[in-house]
């Protein structure tokens, strides 16, 4: 998916693409995309904001699914194992994977203001990090980088707010 989380777009398109990719991966792996797994994936993709397992419970209950935490965690574990979602450790939350089914190194840009997160290819940086670790005798097994800052939309909103505050009031 090439659409950035930080630019206006049709979230339904992201959800549809994620579901198509999930169906393809499940068929290739010989596993089932059960209704609850599918619904959890839809919910994770609905807004580009990382979702905690407990954030998913009310929507699942409203849809008539068993919304007990173990059920949600099993669905999330399945999606993680298949590479359809990533777990953001700093937030204890999950975000849809932009490149499921392909081995890749990702960095997540997380906006501290709006809460959206965007996956970015970070292979060049991780190669340098792996080489530096190797020079120290350390064997890297997994890398996940989370960068917190302000997205373009929130930066623009802050700039607009500060300009409004700085201008004199007209009466």
């Amino acid at each position: 998916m090439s659409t950035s989380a930080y630019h206006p777009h049709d979230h339904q398109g992201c959800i549809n693409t994620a579901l198509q990719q999930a169906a393809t991966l499940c068929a290739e792996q010989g596993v089932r995309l059960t209704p609850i797994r599918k619904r959890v994936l839809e919910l994770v993709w609905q807004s580009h904001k990382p979702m905690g397992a407990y954030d998913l419970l009310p929507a699942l209950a409203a849809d008539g699914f068993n919304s007990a935490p173990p059920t949600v965690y099993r669905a999330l574990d399945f999606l993680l194992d298949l590479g359809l979602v990533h777990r953001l450790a700093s937030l204890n939350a999950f975000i849809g994977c932009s490149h499921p089914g392909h081995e890749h190194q990702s960095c997540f840009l997380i906006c501290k203001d709006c809460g959206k997160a965007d996956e970015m290819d970070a292979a060049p940086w991780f190669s340098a990090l792996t080489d530096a670790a190797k020079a120290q005798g350390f064997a890297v097994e997994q890398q996940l980088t989370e960068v917190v800052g302000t997205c373009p939309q929130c930066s623009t909103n802050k700039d607009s707010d500060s300009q409004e505050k700085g201008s004199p009031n007209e009466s």
Side-chain angles (χ1 to χ4, degrees), residues 49-77:
K49 292 182 180 180
M51 303 280 295
Y54 283 85
D55 297 329
L56 301 170
L57 294 174
L60 291 172
D63 291 343
F65 290 105
N66 174 359
S67 63
T71 303
V72 175
Y73 279 111
R74 279 194 297 276
L76 287 166
D77 284 343

Side-chain angles (χ1 to χ4, degrees), residues 76-161:
L76 287 166
D77 284 343
F78 172 86
L79 297 172
L80 273 170
D81 290 344
L82 213 56
L84 294 165
V85 299
H86 295 283
R87 182 178 176 275
L88 300 180
S90 68
L91 301 174
N92 193 24
F94 301 85
I95 188 92
C97 177
S98 300
H99 310 288
H102 304 8
E103 190 66 32
H104 60 282
Q105 300 295 334
S106 296
C107 173
F108 294 89
L109 305 176
I110 304 167
C111 181
K112 64 183 175 60
D113 295 328
C114 68
K116 291 180 183 175
D118 204 7
E119 183 176 0
M120 184 175 83
D121 179 21
W125 300 316
F126 286 150
S127 294
L129 180 61
T130 299
D131 291 344
K134 190 183 290 184
Q136 297 284 335
F138 187 84
V140 176
E141 294 177 10
Q142 181 181 9
Q143 301 173 24
L144 177 66
T145 302
E146 301 172 29
V147 179
V148 177
T150 307
C151 74
Q153 189 172 11
C154 290
S155 290
T156 301
N157 291 344
K158 281 183 181 178
D159 290 344
S160 297
D161 289 346

